[in-house]
Amino acid sequence: MAVCLRTSRAIINSLQSKVGLLSMISQSSCWSSLTHHREPPFSSLKAQNVRDPDANFCDKATLYSSRRFESVKTEKQFNSPDDVDHYQILDFPGGKVAFTSEMRFISESPVERAHCYRVLDNDGQLILCSKFKKVSEEMAIKMYSDMVTLQTMDAFFYEAQRQGRISFYATTIGEEAINIASAAALTIDDLVFPQYREPGVLLWRGFTLKEFANQCFGNKADNGKGRQMPIHYGSNKHNYFTVAATIATQLPHAVGAAYSLKMDRRNACVITYFGDGGTSEGDFHAALNLAAVREVPVIFFCRNNGWAISTPTTDQFRSDGVVVKGRGYGIRSIRVDGNDALAIYSSVHAAREMAISEQRPILIEALTYRVGHHSTSDDSTKYRPVDEIEWWRSARDPVARFRKWIESNGWWCSEAESELRNSVKTQLLQAIQEAEKIEKSPLAELFTDVYDVPPSNLSEQEKLLRETIRRHPQDYPQDVPI
């Protein structure tokens, strides 16, 4: 028995010596272990060059590789031979994990829901001790003006569709703050991968009302040459990738673009928008995982507006919304009041700084409400109560809330309000009337801009389409040049 005890102690002493040696090597080598709850890998670089996240890029590459080749070993540290099980630790890739003799499952939900960051209350007053990114008078007025413009544009184009002048439309009513305030916190160099309810981001960047009208009417002045449905905007010069109706497909694309920015050492990030329904798509999970593993500068912005067409969030997931999903993938996350323009602006501004300076993805969940119907093809009163819609329209209107705040600062008045709204209405009427008169793109444009020399199957499709139109002219629009 004494021999066994002496042997055990000798083994323990040997292990302690090896562990100590490994520790010394670890401290003097670039191959040190990096835990999951680690300091940002580039935090030490910030003091050298905050505006240039690509400084010491070779050092970053070393850090990346170190995580991929961490060894798997069991490390034992004892105070005495009787404490073996209690102090056993597994040094596993991603960080050290302590063992426990207690069988304990992680709860499916937290005791308390994740808090929601806000700056303005429902009456547009600053919440006591609130912390936010300051905005100038000029910035605040532009934000408000664009929110009003977006709101008015929605009303005009929605009516145009109801009159049969355009084929489809989807509004952003109730989500104006998300559109404009998030755009205001970005720079023109940041790439935007939208869903289909973010035209305000494009508006902020300088896309004109005429350009919006040209796209909705699908005329030859449209950037997409009339190939897309209305509201499927895109603009290369504004770094706004063309909208795709397929849900969540933009998310992996955004991660790839962010990885490209990282490789090119650009001082910019990517932002991609999606709804709560998009989190049920596999692309959402694949995108978050890839972004976290590759540590790319991308902001995932979820507009949790309660409804994915007629599907409520209660049928979408059982988690505490979307914000908690970030932790599962190792992504820093925040929940924000989506109807508070200052909270949105501040959170996106901070997210952008972290994404670029620390080369990491960020997840933002904005709690809001889709006041309008999902689209002109939907009647939301069939699946949600009218009084609920009206309460959000009146009590939680983000445009009215922000107006109260700028008025309280002495930056806005009734005269300015009247002048703005009259001006926007005049511009919209003119844009719609002009877009409606512009000729449609010729039929041949359906088959261009993909191949230098069209393949035989595409030429055959064009030939078949022309023959079909010739046989059934009554089924095709007369204003499209053949």
Side-chain angles (χ1 to χ4, degrees), residues 230-306:
I231 75 160
H232 288 57
Y233 312 108
S235 176
N236 184 47
K237 70 178 180 179
H238 295 104
N239 281 329
Y240 189 95
F241 284 72
T242 302
V243 172
T246 44
I247 301 300
T249 56
Q250 72 275 15
L251 303 186
H253 300 163
V255 176
Y259 191 55
S260 175
L261 291 180
K262 178 177 183 173
M263 293 297 97
D264 290 342
R265 309 180 187 186
R266 295 272 299 280
N267 186 32
C269 72
V270 174
I271 187 168
T272 182
Y273 298 85
F274 56 99
D276 44 279
T279 64
S280 291
E281 295 289 339
D283 282 341
F284 167 79
H285 301 277
L288 264 67
N289 189 56
L290 181 60
V293 171
R294 292 297 178 189
E295 296 182 319
V296 298
V298 57
I299 301 172
F300 295 101
F301 196 111
C302 177
R303 298 174 294 93
N304 185 351
N305 61 23

Side-chain angles (χ1 to χ4, degrees), residues 162-183:
R162 287 296 186 243
Q163 295 167 6
R165 299 165 76 178
I166 60 176
S167 61
F168 178 84
Y169 196 74
T171 68
T172 58
I173 302 172
E175 301 180 37
E176 294 90 350
I178 287 175
N179 274 248
I180 303 303
S182 66

Side-chain angles (χ1 to χ4, degrees), residues 117 119 131-135 143 181-182 185 334 336 340-352 364:
Y117 169 62
V119 177
K131 297 180 180 180
F132 63 99
K133 179 69 177 177
K134 305 297 183 182
V135 297
M143 288 171 64
S182 66
I334 187 173
V336 187
D340 180 350
L342 289 183
I344 293 293
Y345 176 80
S346 300
S347 60
V348 174
H349 187 277
R352 182 183 185 275
I364 297 175

Side-chain angles (χ1 to χ4, degrees), residues 172-242:
T172 58
I173 302 172
E175 301 180 37
E176 294 90 350
I178 287 175
N179 274 248
I180 303 303
S182 66
L186 303 170
T187 72
I188 192 63
D189 293 326
D190 298 325
L191 308 182
V192 180
F193 285 77
Q195 191 181 16
Y196 44 68
R197 217 177 293 278
E198 296 85 25
V201 178
L202 198 48
L203 177 67
W204 176 270
R205 293 191 166 201
F207 204 69
T208 67
L209 295 180
K210 289 183 179 180
E211 289 175 304
F212 280 113
N214 289 335
Q215 198 286 323
C216 287
F217 280 90
N219 60 42
K220 67 178 184 180
D222 167 36
N223 290 340
K225 299 182 179 180
R227 299 176 181 129
Q228 281 272 24
M229 291 172 60
I231 75 160
H232 288 57
Y233 312 108
S235 176
N236 184 47
K237 70 178 180 179
H238 295 104
N239 281 329
Y240 189 95
F241 284 72
T242 302

